[in-house]
Amino acid sequence: MPHPELPAEQRVLDRIYAHLDAERRHDEAALARVMLDDDPEPAARVGREVEYHRLQGRLERFRAAETGLVFGRIDIADAEPDNPVPGHPELDRRYIGRMGLSDPGDDYRGLLMDWRAPQARPFYLATTAHPEGVTLRRHLRTGGRRLRAIDDEWLALPAGADPAAAGAAGADAGVGGESVLREVLDAARTGRMSGIVETIQREQDLVIRDATRRTMVVQGGPGTGKTAVALHRVAWLLYTHRERLERTGVLILGPNRAFLDYISRVLPSLGETGVVLTTIAELYPGVAGAGAEDLVTREVKGSAEMVPILRAAVRDRQRVPDAPIDIRLDDMTVTVTPAMARAARTRARRSRKPHNLARPLFREHLAGALAEAAAAAIGADPLGGANLLTAADRVDLRAELAADDRVGAVLEELWPRLTPERVLADLLGDRARIDSAAADYDEATRAALHRADGAAFGPSDPPLLDELAELLGDDRPDADEEDRAAWLAQIEEAQEALDVLTGSAAQDLDDGFAPEILMAYDLIDAEALAERQRHREHRTTAERARADRRWAYGHVIVDEAQELSAMAWRMVHRRSPNGWMTLVGDIAQTGSPAGAESWGAALGPILGDRWRLHELSVNYRTPAEVMAAAARVLARIDPGATPPTSIRATGRPVRRIPADAAGAPAAAEAEAARLRAAEPGRLTAVLGPGDVAGAKGLEFDHVVLADPDGIAAASPQGLQDLYVAMTRATQSLTLVGPATVLDE
C-alpha cells in the first residue's frame, strides 16, 4: 500500500526543487552578465574571472545534485527548532539531501540540510538503542523529481504519540533503512560507481567524519565500502575544512585509470568538484608510466633499495677525470688536473645540497683553482720574486675564466646540470651504469633494471623520477623571479610598440594632423600598456596542483593502498608533508610484488607510529554464497584473517563449469554470453589470468572466472588475485576450468 503521507512529502519535494530552480536561474542570469561585461581594466578582468569560476562551480553543484536531491528526513528533539513538527513543538523536522538550501525570503529558514552538516549526522548514527534524540527516520526514495516510496523507522515515539498510528503509517523499526539499503545493493551495476550517501551505515559514518588530523588507515575486506567511504570522507572534509582545502587541494590516488573513471561521477553527486584524481603512474607531471613490466622488475623498482642505487647513479655523474684536461684559450692554456676536480667535488658534496644546487659550488671552486694555477704561471717573476699580479688582477682572471665558454664546457662535463628523466633513462638503458650504481646488488637485481630503451618509462618509474628530482634539486629561478623577469620583458615589448608609434608621429603631423591631437603614447606608458596584456593566474587549485610536482596537498586519499611500493609511499608522502591522509585497502588483496605485507611495514619508514587504524567488518557487495567460497581462499592467504560478514544472500550458489585450462577462456565467454542474454540489464565480466589488476576496485553483477587455478599460479600473489577476482560479484560467480585451489 502506498504510504499515506506520500502526497504531502511530494509537495515538500516540489517546494525544494522550485527553490533549487530559482537559485539556478539567478546564477545563470548573473553568469550571463559576467560574460557580457567587457570592462578592460585589469581589476575588473580579475573580478570577472573570480566571479565566473564561482558561478560555474555553483551551477555544477546544482546539476550534480539534481538526481536524488532529497533522500531523508528526521524528526529530532531540539530546544530551538527551525522547522517545528506540527503538534510537537519540541521536535525539529530536518530534510536531508545532497546539498544545503535555505529560504532568504523566510529569514533563511532551512529547507534542506547538507548530509555533511553536523546536525544531519543523527540520520546515520541513530539506532533504537541510541536514538540520538531522533523519533522518526524517514527514507525518501525518488525517481527524478517524483517520490516513489517512503520507508520509516520509529526509533522513539514522541510524547503523546499513538503507537498504532506509527504502525498504520507503514513503519517497522529497523526495516526501513534495510529495505533502502537492499534496493541499492540489488540494483544492476552500470560500470559507474554509485554514492552511498542515502545508506551510510554507522561504522562507515565513524570513518567519514573522523576528525583525526593525522594518517588514518581504513582496513576492510571486499565489499565493505572502503572506496565509497573514502569519497564521502573527501566531501565531508571539503565541507568541514573548506577554506583550507580549497587553497591546498585534495589528491585522490587510485590503482588504475579504469578505477578513476568508475568513481569519477561520485564526487560531483556529493556536491564536490575540483579534486585531483590520478594514479601513481601519472603523478609525476609530464610522464605517464605505461606498458608492462615483469614481476621481478616491479619488485626491484618498488623496493626502498632503489634509493641508494639512484643516489649512486647521481654521484656517478659527478666526475673526476682520469688524466689532466688542457683547455686552450686565446692567449694561454689552462689545465684541469684530477686533484683540482676531486677537491672541487669534495667541497660541493660536503654542502649536502642536491646535485644541481651544489653545481655552482663545484664550478666556483674549480674555476678558482684554475685561476690560481694560471696566475702562478702568468705572474711569475723571472727574478724569483713575489707574483707580479695584484689581487685585482687575480679577481679579473678568475671572472674571465669562469665566463669563458671553453672552460664552462669542461665544467659542465665534470658536473652537468641533470634532469630526472635524463638520469633515469641513461641509467636503465646502460648496463655499465647499472653495474656501477648497483654494484652492491646481485646479478638478478641489476638485470631486472636494464631495458633497451631507457627512456621508455614504465608504471614503476614515476616514483623513481620523483626520487631523482629530490636528489637533483631544481636550480631554476624561483617562481617570483621568473614572473618578474617575464613582466620586465613584457614592459620592454610594450615600450618598443610605443616607440614605433612615436616614430610615426612626425609623418602623421606632416600629413596635416594638428600637434594638439593626443596620441596613444600621450595617454599610456609602457607599464600601463603591458598591464593590459598581462596574463594572470586564473587556474583552479586542482589545475595548478596537477602541474606542480612540489605541490603540498591539504589532504591525500589513497585507494587500494596495499598496492603501493616503498618508493611509491615516499612519493606520496612528499605530496602530504603534514601527514594528513586517508588510506583504504585490504592487506589480503595485495597483488603487487612490491606491495604491503602489513600496514606497519608499509607506513613505518615514512610515518613511524603516527597513524591509526579503522576496520570495516560488513560486506555490502558480495553475496553470502560467493563470500563462503572466497573465504576458503582467504584462509590460505592468512589463516588468522576474519572474512567480512555478508549481509545478504541471493540464493544463487557458486557454479562450476568443467573445462581444461586451454578451453576455459572460450567456455567462460560462452557462459558470459548466456548470462547477458538471460539478464540484459546486468553487467557481466569475464576475468582470467592477467585480467585481475584491471578489475581492482570495480564490481560487476556477474563474474565468470576463466581458469581459477591459472589465476592463482600466475604470480607469487596469485592467491590474492584470485580472492580479488572472486569478490567482484554482486549477484553470482561462475568458475570455469580447473579450480582445485578451492578444494585443497
Side-chain angles (χ1 to χ4, degrees):
M1 293 290 293
H3 194 288
E5 294 187 23
L6 195 147
E9 293 289 24
Q10 179 64 60
R11 289 192 293 272
V12 173
L13 260 64
D14 291 342
R15 286 196 296 272
I16 292 174
Y17 272 110
H19 187 80
L20 178 75
D21 291 339
E23 291 272 320
R24 179 188 289 128
R25 288 193 297 271
H26 176 274
D27 286 355
E28 287 173 342
L31 183 62
R33 290 193 297 271
V34 167
M35 297 179 70
L36 290 174
D37 185 359
D38 59 355
D39 188 338
E41 288 302 315
R45 296 208 325 266
V46 172
R48 283 200 305 274
E49 288 288 340
V50 171
E51 184 66 0
Y52 174 84
H53 288 297
R54 186 187 72 83
L55 292 170
Q56 283 282 30
R58 280 176 54 86
L59 290 171
E60 176 61 30
R61 285 193 290 273
F62 289 151
R63 285 190 290 269
E66 169 77 24
T67 302
L69 175 64
V70 188
F71 54 78
R73 182 193 113 186
I74 53 175
D75 293 350
I76 184 171
D78 193 323
E80 298 181 0
D82 199 26
N83 294 287
V85 175
H88 295 281
E90 77 282 3
L91 298 179
D92 188 31
R93 178 160 292 171
R94 301 173 186 171
Y95 285 89
I96 315 297
R98 297 182 183 276
M99 65 184 302
L101 291 171
S102 58
D103 185 357
D106 189 8
D107 199 22
Y108 288 92
R109 180 177 62 86
L111 298 175
L112 183 64
M113 184 169 291
D114 193 302
W115 68 272
R116 297 166 293 187
Q119 296 88 342
R121 194 176 191 190
F123 181 79
Y124 300 107
L125 292 185
T127 65
T128 52
H130 302 283
E132 307 285 339
V134 176
T135 59
L136 173 66
R137 174 166 51 208
R138 173 166 288 178
H139 298 266
L140 305 173
R141 288 189 268 178
T142 60
R145 295 190 171 195
R146 302 305 301 171
L147 183 59
R148 296 188 296 108
I150 294 174
D151 294 277
D152 285 344
E153 296 173 86
W154 286 97
L155 304 178
L157 290 179
D162 181 4
D172 189 357
V175 175
E178 184 177 339
S179 64
V180 176
L181 179 60
R182 286 184 177 276
E183 179 178 348
V184 172
L185 296 179
D186 288 335
R189 268 41 191 173
T190 63
R192 294 280 186 177
M193 184 178 181
S194 299
I196 62 168
V197 65
E198 304 94 334
T199 59
I200 292 171
Q201 302 299 297
R202 185 182 182 91
E203 74 168 4
Q204 297 172 326
D205 188 80
L206 293 174
V207 174
I208 291 169
R209 300 176 196 259
D210 190 303
T212 301
R213 296 294 290 270
R214 56 179 177 170
T215 296
M216 181 173 64
V217 177
V218 183
Q219 161 73 34
T224 52
K226 299 182 297 295
T227 298
V229 165
L231 295 178
H232 287 68
R233 177 162 172 77
V234 170
W236 179 80
L237 288 170
L238 284 166
Y239 178 88
T240 308
H241 304 281
R242 181 167 300 282
E243 183 176 351
R244 175 181 179 183
L245 293 180
E246 279 191 339
R247 294 195 313 269
T248 56
V250 173
L251 171 66
I252 298 179
L253 287 168
N256 50 57
R257 179 48 60 181
F259 171 82
L260 296 179
D261 292 341
Y262 175 65
I263 69 172
S264 61
R265 293 184 183 176
V266 174
L267 278 173
S269 74
L270 300 178
E272 295 300 341
T273 57
V275 175
V276 176
L277 289 87
T278 189
T279 66
I280 284 290
E282 299 169 328
L283 188 54
Y284 184 87
V287 174
E293 296 172 315
D294 62 50
L295 293 174
V296 178
T297 297
R298 291 167 61 194
E299 184 174 9
V300 170
K301 286 186 177 180
S303 74
E305 298 305 315
M306 285 304 304
V307 175
I309 291 174
L310 295 175
R311 187 177 292 121
V314 172
R315 290 171 70 89
D316 283 347
R317 307 302 286 265
Q318 301 162 0
R319 291 185 51 239
V320 171
D322 297 328
I325 301 175
D326 291 332
I327 306 174
R328 298 186 180 279
L329 305 178
D330 295 337
D331 52 0
M332 63 176 170
T333 296
V334 294
T335 301
V336 176
T337 67
M340 288 179 183
R342 186 174 295 106
R345 185 178 70 176
T346 298
R347 180 179 178 186
R349 285 180 174 176
R350 283 178 176 170
S351 73
R352 300 192 179 279
K353 291 183 177 182
H355 173 90
N356 288 331
L357 301 182
R359 187 164 163 264
L361 298 176
F362 174 83
R363 296 171 69 93
E364 178 185 4
H365 189 85
L366 191 52
L370 280 175
E372 288 299 319
I378 296 171
D381 185 350
L383 302 178
N387 193 288
L388 300 176
L389 295 183
T390 65
D393 293 334
R394 291 171 181 269
V395 170
D396 291 343
L397 178 59
R398 182 171 182 166
E400 183 179 344
L401 290 176
D404 192 285
D405 290 342
R406 289 158 293 190
V407 174
V410 173
L411 299 181
E412 179 67 22
E413 180 184 348
L414 299 179
W415 193 295
R417 185 185 185 283
L418 298 172
T419 64
E421 293 82 355
R422 175 182 169 187
V423 173
L424 190 61
D426 289 350
L427 173 67
L428 300 183
D430 189 329
R431 185 55 194 264
R433 291 187 186 274
I434 293 173
D435 290 343
S436 176
D440 295 336
Y441 298 88
D442 59 25
E443 171 59 25
T445 297
R446 297 196 296 271
L449 290 174
H450 182 255
R451 62 179 176 231
D453 182 0
F457 297 122
S460 299
D461 289 329
L464 308 188
L465 291 167
D466 203 63
E467 190 74 31
L468 283 168
E470 293 295 305
L471 294 171
L472 296 175
D474 191 347
D475 62 347
R476 295 174 302 176
D478 63 33
D480 290 340
E481 292 176 358
E482 287 185 342
D483 286 348
R484 175 152 181 79
W487 173 232
L488 293 176
Q490 200 161 358
I491 291 177
E492 185 176 350
E493 291 178 8
Q495 185 60 58
E496 290 175 356
L498 290 175
D499 289 345
V500 170
L501 289 175
T502 303
S504 66
Q507 181 62 45
D508 290 341
L509 292 175
D510 288 344
D511 290 341
F513 286 94
E516 292 83 3
I517 294 177
L518 293 174
M519 309 299 291
Y521 45 81
D522 296 316
L523 299 173
I524 191 170
D525 60 15
E527 186 166 354
L529 179 59
E531 177 68 35
R532 291 198 172 189
Q533 308 302 319
R534 190 175 189 178
H535 171 74
R536 295 185 181 275
E537 181 64 86
H538 298 308
R539 292 181 299 169
T540 65
T541 296
E543 290 168 337
R544 288 183 287 124
R546 189 186 299 277
D548 187 351
R549 188 195 71 82
R550 296 171 294 182
W551 192 272
Y553 290 89
H555 194 81
V556 173
I557 301 278
V558 183
D559 204 313
E560 301 290 346
Q562 76 278 355
E563 300 299 324
L564 267 61
S565 68
M567 294 303 294
W569 278 120
R570 292 172 66 88
M571 186 184 197
V572 170
H573 189 45
R574 293 186 191 107
R575 273 70 179 175
S576 180
N578 64 2
W580 194 19
M581 298 186 285
T582 301
L583 317 176
V584 297
D586 180 13
I587 296 297
Q589 297 186 60
T590 301
S592 168
E597 296 181 359
S598 72
W599 293 118
L603 302 178
I606 62 169
L607 295 174
D609 60 357
R610 298 184 304 279
W611 56 279
R612 61 179 295 183
L613 179 68
H614 272 289
E615 294 194 60
L616 300 177
S617 60
V618 179
N619 188 333
Y620 302 97
R621 175 207 302 144
T622 316
E625 298 89 344
V626 174
M627 198 61 224
R632 296 202 291 274
V633 179
L634 176 61
R636 294 189 57 188
I637 297 170
D638 181 359
T642 301
T645 302
S646 295
I647 67 167
R648 60 193 250 283
T650 60
R652 305 173 72 156
V654 175
R655 295 187 64 221
R656 297 180 68 161
I657 298 176
D660 58 24
E669 289 293 349
E671 173 62 12
R674 185 192 70 79
L675 286 167
R676 292 179 184 122
E679 301 183 58
R682 298 281 184 180
L683 196 61
T684 300
V686 176
L687 302 176
D691 298 329
V692 181
K696 268 194 176 294
L698 308 183
E699 58 182 34
F700 312 92
D701 294 293
H702 305 294
V703 171
V704 182
L705 294 190
D707 189 12
D709 282 356
I711 295 175
S715 77
Q717 284 73 36
L719 284 173
Q720 287 92 326
D721 288 342
L722 180 59
Y723 182 58
V724 169
M726 293 177 70
T727 54
R728 299 306 93 196
T730 69
Q731 298 297 320
S732 76
L733 172 67
T734 305
L735 308 178
V736 180
T740 58
V741 66
L742 271 71
D743 303 323
E744 296 176 2

